[in-house]
Amino acid sequence: MAGAIIENMSTKKLCIVGGILLVFQVIAFLVGGLIAPSPTTAVPYTSVKCIDVRKNHHKTKWLIPWGHNHCEKLKDFDEAVSRQIEANDIVFSVHVPLPNKEMSPWFQFMLFIMQLDIAFKMDNDLKENAEITLDVSLAYRDDVFDDWEEIAHAIEIRKLKCTFGSPKTLESEGRHYDCDFLPFMEIGSVAHKYYLINIRLPVNERKGINVGIGEIKDIRLVGIHQNGGFTKVWFAMKTFLTPSILIIMVWYWRRITLMTRAPVLLEKVIFALGISMTFINIPVEWFSIGFDWTWMLLFGDIRQGIFYAMLLSFWIIFCGEHMMDQNERNRLSGYWKQVGPIAVGSFCLFIFDMCERGVQLKNPFYSIWTTEVGTELAMAFIIVAGICLCLYFLFLCFMVFQVFRNISGKQSRLPAMSKARRLHYEGLIFRFKFLMLITLACAAMTVIFFIVSQVTEGHWKWGDITIQVNSAFFTGIYGMWNLYVFALMFLYAPSHKNYGEDQSNGDLGVNSGEELQLTTTITHVDGPTEVYKLARKEGQD
């Protein structure tokens, strides 16, 4: 009877823990959906055409579209022709942000894409596969009367992909091409209040620079930055979750070190997963509010890559350690075929990220998408990653099915046991199945919410309540994986409850030194658990 009471209490505790975690999960989604604003904001900018008169008497090389000491402006290119101003003397100037506003470090990053307004003219047609050369400069200042300080300067080439929906006849002159957006710039911090972008289109007919690109009327930019309100909510979540995971990690590892046996593979992997989760949680982003750390985007990608690689590896090992018919277990080398591709794929994505954001640390105007080879390489990485994600999810489902089938086969031996002992093992199997289903649900929710966030308009409105879907996705999924890691360490921490001699030799039939815990593959002082020995015996039959 004692064993039955203990197992019933254990199952009850498991349900309570599951309910508490579900409450926190709902709170994580509501924080993003109801409290935080949308994650990002897109701001359109139209460049101002300035006349570059530096060679005469201008005091600075920076041309400002408005405000103190603004440049001499051109209304349009017809005015430039009438005034005999050459194309090399025209600068497209963009001030960030718009008038009477300031940028903030809470914006975290700035991403700009470019759109060209190109008009059709019979004597200046846009050639096929035309390329535009941009002489671009970026500067900053923190006061409207300060001098501009240069951040970066580069000469970049972008390939134009435009279509014209009308016949190219004299009657169609003046109509605009439909051109794809071009990647323009990305910086990983917003440490200053004001930014200035100067864009020149140098023309050299002898070298074929900016020849055959049509008649450019305007250059428009769209600036995307993270919302300050979302950043504050995100930082608050990180600050709250960091000590929570650290505390459960210390408690978990202490429970393991108190054992007289060495930690087994599954326990080590769970602890490593906790370390990778803590690595993501540590809110080093707080320092970006006071320091110009442009490498934070790259650092964030690396942290996420380590966690997801560890998570994928854990799922493989978690399922493999519960494949009861396998003889090779509790050794990492036994999983090299499954873990190896994860490591190789993660390393390839790291190299890809370094080729993009690594180079942008020195040249924010660089983009791997600007060349044919770079675009094909980037698309190949994305397509392969998407295919691998789908295949991995299907493979995971198959492994879960195999584990459930194996456990069901082993349950046929349970009726021969005493009632208390049978309840003990049924409780272990129930808790294992519970955690397996949670694992599958977490993976499915991540995919589902990612798809929903991509296809929706960004928010749902129910009466007077507006739910930010994208924000709920970020905070909800982030909170979900923290709760998942928390639950793993809580449920798989070794128990130190020992049964007396009467119980172990009586109803339970468990050795006096044996511990009750969730995993079925832990090796104890006195040898493997009864379920493990049962599985090995049937696997060898």
Side-chain angles (χ1 to χ4, degrees), residues 457-476:
E457 296 180 354
H459 65 272
W460 293 339
K461 194 170 183 64
W462 292 342
D464 296 332
I465 300 176
T466 300
I467 298 178
Q468 295 292 339
V469 178
N470 292 336
S471 296
F473 166 74
F474 283 111
T475 59

Side-chain angles (χ1 to χ4, degrees), residues 416-456:
M417 300 179 182
S418 63
K419 181 178 180 181
R421 190 177 183 187
R422 174 170 51 81
L423 290 173
H424 166 63
Y425 291 123
E426 286 177 349
L428 290 177
I429 292 173
F430 168 75
R431 284 174 281 172
F432 166 74
K433 289 183 176 181
F434 174 81
L435 195 57
M436 289 291 286
L437 290 174
I438 291 297
T439 300
L440 199 59
C442 287
M445 285 179 64
T446 301
V447 175
I448 291 171
F449 273 92
F450 175 76
I451 295 173
V452 169
S453 67
Q454 297 300 308
V455 300
T456 60

Side-chain angles (χ1 to χ4, degrees), residues 265-266 314-331 334-335 338 392 394-410 429 432-433 436 492 518-522 531-540:
L265 177 61
L266 191 58
F314 163 74
W315 284 345
I316 290 293
I317 295 173
F318 177 75
C319 292
E321 289 295 282
H322 291 88
M323 290 287 190
M324 293 184 173
D325 290 335
Q326 289 186 4
N327 294 325
E328 295 293 330
R329 287 185 293 184
N330 200 29
R331 293 190 300 109
Y335 297 95
Q338 294 88 355
Y392 182 88
L394 294 175
F395 180 66
L396 180 65
C397 293
F398 176 71
M399 290 190 69
V400 171
F401 170 76
Q402 281 189 312
V403 174
F404 281 170
R405 186 180 61 182
N406 282 355
I407 288 180
S408 298
K410 305 306 178 278
I429 292 173
F432 166 74
K433 289 183 176 181
M436 289 291 286
Y492 271 76
L518 179 58
T519 180
T520 61
T521 61
I522 302 299
V531 172
Y532 183 75
K533 290 190 290 186
L534 174 68
R536 285 293 298 269
K537 185 177 185 301
E538 286 209 358
Q540 293 170 357

Side-chain angles (χ1 to χ4, degrees), residues 32 36-43 106-111 186 222-231 234 297 357 453-454 457-459 468-472 474:
S38 61
T40 58
T41 293
V43 181
W106 293 101
F107 294 163
Q108 291 294 288
F109 69 89
M110 287 195 300
L111 171 68
E186 183 176 21
V222 177
I224 303 171
H225 62 77
Q226 188 165 294
N227 275 327
F230 178 83
T231 303
W234 189 253
L297 287 177
R357 285 182 168 164
S453 67
Q454 297 300 308
E457 296 180 354
H459 65 272
Q468 295 292 339
V469 178
N470 292 336
S471 296
F474 283 111

